[in-house]
Amino acid sequence: MTTQHEDDLVSLKNLVQELKLKLSKYENVETHKQRSKIEEMSSEVTDDNPYSRLMALKRMGIVENYERIKDYSVAIVGIGGVGSVTAEMLTRCGIGKLLLYDFDTVSMANMNRLFFTPDQAGMSKVDASYKTLTNINPDVEFECYQYNITTMDHFDPFLQSLSNGGKAPKKPVDLVLSCVDNFEARMSVNQACNELDIKWMESGVSEDAVSGHIQFMIPGRTACYQCAPPLIVASGVKQIKREGVCAASLPTTMGITAGLLAQNVLKYLLNFGSVGYYVGYSALTDFFPTMVVKPNPHCSNRWCMVRQEQHKDNPLSLQNTNCNVDDEEPASHADNEWGIEVVSSVQEEDDEEIARNRLQELGEGIDYAFMRSDELKPSIDTNNVVEVDGNIDELMRQLNEM
Amino acid sequence: MTTQHEDDLVSLKNLVQELKLKLSKYENVETHKQRSKIEEMSSEVTDDNPYSRLMALKRMGIVENYERIKDYSVAIVGIGGVGSVTAEMLTRCGIGKLLLYDFDTVSMANMNRLFFTPDQAGMSKVDASYKTLTNINPDVEFECYQYNITTMDHFDPFLQSLSNGGKAPKKPVDLVLSCVDNFEARMSVNQACNELDIKWMESGVSEDAVSGHIQFMIPGRTACYQCAPPLIVASGVKQIKREGVCAASLPTTMGITAGLLAQNVLKYLLNFGSVGYYVGYSALTDFFPTMVVKPNPHCSNRWCMVRQEQHKDNPLSLQNTNCNVDDEEPASHADNEWGIEVVSSVQEEDDEEIARNRLQELGEGIDYAFMRSDELKPSIDTNNVVEVDGNIDELMRQLNEM
């Protein structure tokens, strides 16, 4: 054996040691990063219990059985400024399972909203979310779907995943959250949820970044997304974000909208407080209108009409909601051009008592996202009902023709 | 050279390759993590511009000069569930400088709120925040102060840092945000801001996790923290978080409160919309009361009285606020036991028009955090004025004796 060879061996061995040492630093950090899974949520008040402050909701008399949050699965469509924060909130609350849908990738232009970080630029939004969320709470089960739900070939798999509650057939998801930024995707969620009879919550922010809203949709019992033009909080710009426009956005408005959405999910799943049917937010004036929109008896969506027929003996009970509308009150359809009934509960008071039970066309500060039918003749005009056969592409084609 | 040696060399070389490959993955991620600094905010709509969606606020007519956000420095006291999220929002918006104060460390019991991650357990909250925030936006300048502002030896350095705007003397901070979870710390912030004549915003969440509020304090022109008992949104539990009680908390309520706070900061600094003087949030009912509290002419805080005297010819202009109270209206002090005037603008409407300009004792759903003076005789009782000489410890001692 030559000296040269011996030297080579020694220096190689040293290099290996050095590399192993360097690597161990990263790997230690990596192993440190993951907390171990927790089988049972504990109320124990210790610094190492991630659930102590949530389980305290029981002691405070707010939630009767917090642990059952582990039984629920929620689908979040659109993991952007609202969807990602909603996903993080539900993850930190220990939700059972999240199904995440988004076809987009993270870019630096997303950094003015919460959640994604510069090092994730270029990653798919679902992969980046999975990495962040599973690190935060490994007790939550995640499934990622990186596709566009509005395309013909993905709508059926989307429907399938919602009704299976994931990739393997189990029970349907308990709730679908629409956190998308365009009309087509909202229509797809609406179609899927009407067809599968799954409750969903819609969310949106305005192009000018200073208003947002959430809305709870119960197929056949509240207005669906096609029963009426989308309701928005009136502000400078009247449209929900349009495709192709560089909309402004703020982490504040997005965070508040996500907070209202996730809070509504918790209230609905864990049965506390009043679930909001529509909660709007105007940042400029700190104005938060609430209301309920009943189904349009002439809705153009066939599945909405099927669900309305199914629930005709079981109309929306407005008890235990933030709209304490008297169920005994005779149903009266406000005289508006959409033929739908809008029940406003914009926070109001008078000298006598709080009067929330007023029926009116639209609450103060609320407007339709689109122009009225006499200006635009959209499909939702009740005089111009579009026949829908459950085929979303056909629906889109017809809507785009309007 | 033996075959054995040759084999050793080959396998060692392979091992080196393998280790280098593994290492490169970590090192790439690590170097990739930091985005480079950006000198000038650009409106350019490209995927790699982190400010495009913020600069779009100008195009939308919301903010006249977004870039001036870089000129402002904000102190955040308490980097917990509200403070950390507020810091992240302002960081993502590209605020000039943040001064972060917290003496506490991250624990797993913090994981049910946004921001901190399990791998940060054991780190100081300010260090963990610095690491996360500087990664998100290296354009923001951060200074960390890991001490308890309520102790005698830290109150003066705290005062100094606010008036210097950091460790080196520059200009005073533009705003102080109180995101603490106890009475003493709020009193210290109040004392510092009255003494230095710096505007501040208070925030709080209830022990039962289902309500929160923010309040804007202008020394001498709005009520200070000692002018009246703290106002909270009425819910099951009536106290702001008490020391030693394992309070419940939710990422939703904390996130919404942080969002309202950061939004108010943006509205104030960038001059858009109406800055809220008091915005409350009740999660159970989606109720968001707003109001203004004027200074108590018999406030027990000496510096508050000094500021009131200074501003006596310049009372609070309630224009461009969410409380459109007519300045011409004769000042009338509501007949309440604190001798202060509370101007409520709880969102209300009647058949004629929106009537927000009503004076009344307290808005619907609002209550004092503490018991009334006839039950407790607190220092803020105007018949029992405490002499304060600017020494916060002495103040505390006197208050604790009440």
Side-chain angles (χ1 to χ4, degrees):
Chain A
M1 195 168 79
T2 65
T3 311
Q4 178 59 40
H5 276 120
E6 270 183 355
D7 287 356
D8 280 2
L9 260 177
V10 169
S11 71
L12 266 174
K13 277 179 181 168
N14 286 341
L15 184 59
V16 165
Q17 277 311 306
E18 195 188 313
L19 288 170
K20 276 187 172 168
L21 186 72
K22 268 194 184 173
L23 199 57
S24 73
K25 281 184 195 162
Y26 290 111
E27 282 176 337
N28 280 345
V29 168
E30 209 54 21
T31 48
H32 179 59
K33 253 181 187 163
Q34 288 284 336
R35 79 157 166 84
S36 48
K37 287 196 183 193
I38 295 171
E39 281 302 313
E40 296 249 324
M41 285 184 179
S42 151
S43 295
E44 210 187 351
V45 182
T46 55
D47 276 355
D48 60 353
N49 178 9
Y51 295 115
S52 60
R53 303 308 177 104
L54 296 164
M55 293 290 276
L57 289 164
K58 294 178 12 168
R59 203 179 332 115
M60 295 283 172
I62 302 293
V63 177
E64 203 178 322
N65 179 1
Y66 190 85
E67 299 93 316
R68 70 175 171 164
I69 197 168
K70 293 180 72 169
D71 300 337
Y72 296 116
S73 60
V74 173
I76 306 182
V77 185
I79 314 298
V82 172
S84 63
V85 180
T86 304
E88 180 172 346
M89 287 174 171
L90 295 177
T91 296
R92 290 184 182 264
C93 285
I95 190 93
K97 185 173 181 174
L98 288 181
L99 285 71
L100 307 175
Y101 300 82
D102 204 301
F103 64 90
D104 205 5
T105 53
V106 179
S107 82
M108 290 306 287
N110 302 139
M111 293 307 138
N112 70 320
R113 281 146 277 176
L114 297 179
F115 193 74
F116 293 115
T117 50
D119 55 291
Q120 295 176 325
M123 285 176 80
S124 76
K125 286 187 177 173
V126 289
D127 285 349
S129 303
Y130 174 79
K131 201 179 158 219
T132 302
L133 296 174
T134 203
N135 177 44
I136 289 172
N137 191 347
D139 301 335
V140 178
E141 195 181 340
F142 299 96
E143 284 192 11
C144 296
Y145 299 87
Q146 195 189 348
Y147 55 62
N148 182 346
I149 63 161
T150 66
T151 61
M152 191 65 183
D153 50 337
H154 291 128
F155 186 71
D156 280 342
F158 172 56
L159 226 68
Q160 196 74 32
S161 64
L162 297 181
S163 89
N164 283 347
K167 280 159 187 165
K170 284 180 188 161
K171 60 176 178 100
V173 295
D174 295 288
L175 211 49
V176 178
L177 308 182
S178 166
C179 304
V180 297
D181 63 355
N182 64 84
F183 179 74
E184 287 75 14
R186 285 185 175 90
M187 289 292 274
S188 299
V189 173
N190 185 62
Q191 182 63 25
C193 292
N194 275 341
E195 202 168 324
L196 299 172
D197 202 9
I198 293 177
K199 295 180 179 73
W200 64 291
M201 291 182 192
E202 140 74 358
S203 65
V205 288
S206 63
E207 273 181 13
D208 61 5
V210 288
S211 63
H213 72 272
I214 64 161
Q215 189 168 353
F216 185 27
M217 315 284 217
I218 307 176
R221 299 179 74 202
T222 68
C224 88
Y225 197 71
Q226 277 175 266
C227 279
L231 296 165
I232 54 163
V233 180
S235 78
V237 178
K238 294 216 170 185
Q239 285 83 8
I240 290 176
K241 270 168 63 176
R242 282 168 301 180
E243 198 90 25
V245 174
C246 176
S249 58
L250 282 167
T252 45
T253 307
M254 293 275 193
I256 290 169
T257 305
L260 293 172
L261 181 62
Q263 194 85 287
N264 221 32
V265 172
L266 295 177
K267 290 198 285 182
Y268 169 69
L269 295 179
L270 298 176
N271 193 32
F272 68 94
S274 303
V275 179
Y277 284 107
Y278 183 99
V279 184
Y281 166 50
S282 165
L284 298 183
T285 53
D286 292 316
F287 176 58
F288 298 81
T290 60
M291 65 168 69
V292 185
V293 190
K294 291 193 176 177
N296 178 352
H298 308 288
C299 181
S300 61
N301 185 296
R302 188 173 69 90
W303 279 105
C304 176
M305 294 304 287
V306 170
R307 298 305 163 206
Q308 287 190 46
E309 177 63 23
Q310 277 178 334
H311 290 293
K312 68 172 191 274
D313 300 327
N314 180 29
L316 192 63
S317 159
L318 296 172
Q319 302 221 292
N320 195 33
T321 76
N322 59 18
C323 301
N324 301 313
V325 176
D326 187 357
D327 272 354
E328 304 308 309
E329 203 165 353
S332 78
H333 287 250
D335 185 23
N336 66 54
E337 72 219 84
W338 310 108
I340 56 158
E341 186 178 357
V342 181
V343 184
S344 170
S345 75
V346 169
Q347 303 295 352
E348 52 196 359
E349 60 174 32
D350 59 32
D351 288 339
E352 296 302 296
E353 60 171 352
I354 309 309
R356 294 190 195 172
N357 306 345
R358 199 173 305 167
L359 291 171
Q360 56 179 56
E361 193 185 354
L362 280 181
E364 183 223 337
I366 296 283
D367 208 342
Y368 294 111
F370 305 138
M371 278 174 282
R372 300 298 176 103
S373 60
D374 50 356
E375 293 159 48
L376 199 72
K377 301 276 179 215
S379 68
I380 25 247
D381 184 333
T382 52
N383 299 321
N384 185 16
V385 176
V386 178
E387 278 300 317
V388 180
D389 64 356
N391 176 326
I392 195 78
D393 275 10
E394 173 57 13
L395 174 68
M396 286 304 130
R397 193 192 59 71
Q398 290 184 40
L399 276 166
N400 288 334
E401 278 177 11
M402 297 294 149
Chain B
M1 195 171 77
T2 64
T3 312
Q4 178 59 38
H5 277 119
E6 270 183 356
D7 287 354
D8 279 1
L9 261 177
V10 169
S11 70
L12 267 172
K13 279 178 179 169
N14 286 340
L15 183 59
V16 165
Q17 276 313 306
E18 195 186 312
L19 288 169
K20 277 187 171 166
L21 186 72
K22 267 193 184 176
L23 200 56
S24 72
K25 281 183 194 163
Y26 290 111
E27 284 175 336
N28 280 343
V29 167
E30 208 57 16
T31 47
H32 181 57
K33 252 180 188 162
Q34 287 285 338
R35 79 157 166 84
S36 49
K37 288 196 184 195
I38 295 172
E39 281 303 313
E40 295 251 324
M41 286 186 179
S42 150
S43 295
E44 209 188 352
V45 182
T46 55
D47 275 355
D48 60 354
N49 177 8
Y51 296 115
S52 60
R53 304 309 178 103
L54 296 164
M55 293 289 276
L57 289 164
K58 294 178 12 166
R59 203 179 332 120
M60 295 283 172
I62 302 293
V63 177
E64 204 178 321
N65 180 0
Y66 190 85
E67 298 93 316
R68 70 176 171 164
I69 196 168
K70 292 181 75 170
D71 300 335
Y72 296 116
S73 60
V74 173
I76 306 182
V77 186
I79 314 298
V82 172
S84 63
V85 179
T86 304
E88 179 173 346
M89 287 173 171
L90 295 178
T91 296
R92 290 182 181 266
C93 286
I95 190 94
K97 184 173 182 175
L98 288 180
L99 284 71
L100 308 174
Y101 301 80
D102 204 301
F103 64 90
D104 205 6
T105 53
V106 179
S107 82
M108 291 304 289
N110 302 140
M111 294 306 137
N112 70 320
R113 280 146 278 175
L114 297 179
F115 193 74
F116 293 115
T117 50
D119 55 291
Q120 295 176 325
M123 285 177 81
S124 77
K125 285 186 178 173
V126 289
D127 285 349
S129 303
Y130 174 79
K131 202 180 156 213
T132 302
L133 296 175
T134 203
N135 177 44
I136 288 172
N137 191 347
D139 302 333
V140 178
E141 193 182 342
F142 299 96
E143 284 193 12
C144 296
Y145 299 86
Q146 195 189 347
Y147 56 63
N148 183 346
I149 62 160
T150 67
T151 60
M152 191 65 184
D153 51 336
H154 291 128
F155 186 71
D156 280 343
F158 173 56
L159 225 69
Q160 195 73 31
S161 64
L162 297 182
S163 88
N164 283 346
K167 280 158 189 168
K170 284 180 190 163
K171 60 176 178 99
V173 295
D174 295 287
L175 210 49
V176 177
L177 308 182
S178 165
C179 304
V180 297
D181 64 354
N182 64 83
F183 179 74
E184 285 76 14
R186 284 186 176 90
M187 290 291 275
S188 300
V189 173
N190 185 62
Q191 181 64 25
C193 291
N194 275 341
E195 203 168 323
L196 299 172
D197 201 9
I198 294 176
K199 297 181 178 73
W200 65 290
M201 291 183 191
E202 140 74 357
S203 66
V205 289
S206 63
E207 273 182 13
D208 61 6
V210 289
S211 63
H213 72 273
I214 64 161
Q215 190 169 353
F216 185 27
M217 316 285 217
I218 307 176
R221 300 180 72 203
T222 69
C224 89
Y225 198 70
Q226 276 175 267
C227 279
L231 296 165
I232 54 163
V233 180
S235 78
V237 179
K238 292 216 169 183
Q239 285 82 9
I240 291 176
K241 271 169 64 176
R242 283 167 300 182
E243 198 91 24
V245 174
C246 176
S249 57
L250 281 167
T252 45
T253 306
M254 294 274 193
I256 290 167
T257 305
L260 293 173
L261 181 63
Q263 193 86 287
N264 221 33
V265 171
L266 295 177
K267 289 197 286 182
Y268 170 68
L269 294 179
L270 299 176
N271 193 31
F272 68 95
S274 304
V275 179
Y277 285 108
Y278 183 99
V279 184
Y281 167 49
S282 164
L284 298 183
T285 53
D286 291 317
F287 176 57
F288 298 81
T290 60
M291 65 169 69
V292 185
V293 190
K294 291 194 176 177
N296 178 352
H298 308 287
C299 181
S300 62
N301 186 296
R302 187 172 70 89
W303 279 105
C304 176
M305 295 303 289
V306 170
R307 299 304 163 206
Q308 287 189 46
E309 178 63 22
Q310 278 179 333
H311 290 292
K312 68 174 190 273
D313 300 327
N314 179 28
L316 190 64
S317 159
L318 296 171
Q319 302 222 293
N320 195 31
T321 75
N322 60 18
C323 300
N324 301 314
V325 176
D326 187 358
D327 272 354
E328 304 308 309
E329 202 163 355
S332 78
H333 286 249
D335 184 22
N336 67 53
E337 71 220 88
W338 309 108
I340 56 159
E341 186 178 357
V342 180
V343 184
S344 170
S345 76
V346 167
Q347 304 295 350
E348 50 198 359
E349 61 173 35
D350 59 33
D351 287 340
E352 296 303 295
E353 60 171 354
I354 310 309
R356 293 189 197 174
N357 307 347
R358 198 173 307 168
L359 290 172
Q360 55 179 58
E361 193 186 354
L362 279 181
E364 184 223 336
I366 296 284
D367 209 343
Y368 293 112
F370 305 136
M371 278 174 284
R372 299 298 176 104
S373 59
D374 50 355
E375 293 159 48
L376 200 71
K377 300 274 178 219
S379 67
I380 26 248
D381 185 331
T382 52
N383 300 321
N384 185 15
V385 176
V386 177
E387 278 299 318
V388 179
D389 63 357
N391 176 325
I392 194 77
D393 274 10
E394 172 58 14
L395 173 71
M396 286 303 129
R397 194 192 57 70
Q398 290 184 38
L399 276 166
N400 288 334
E401 277 177 12
M402 297 293 151

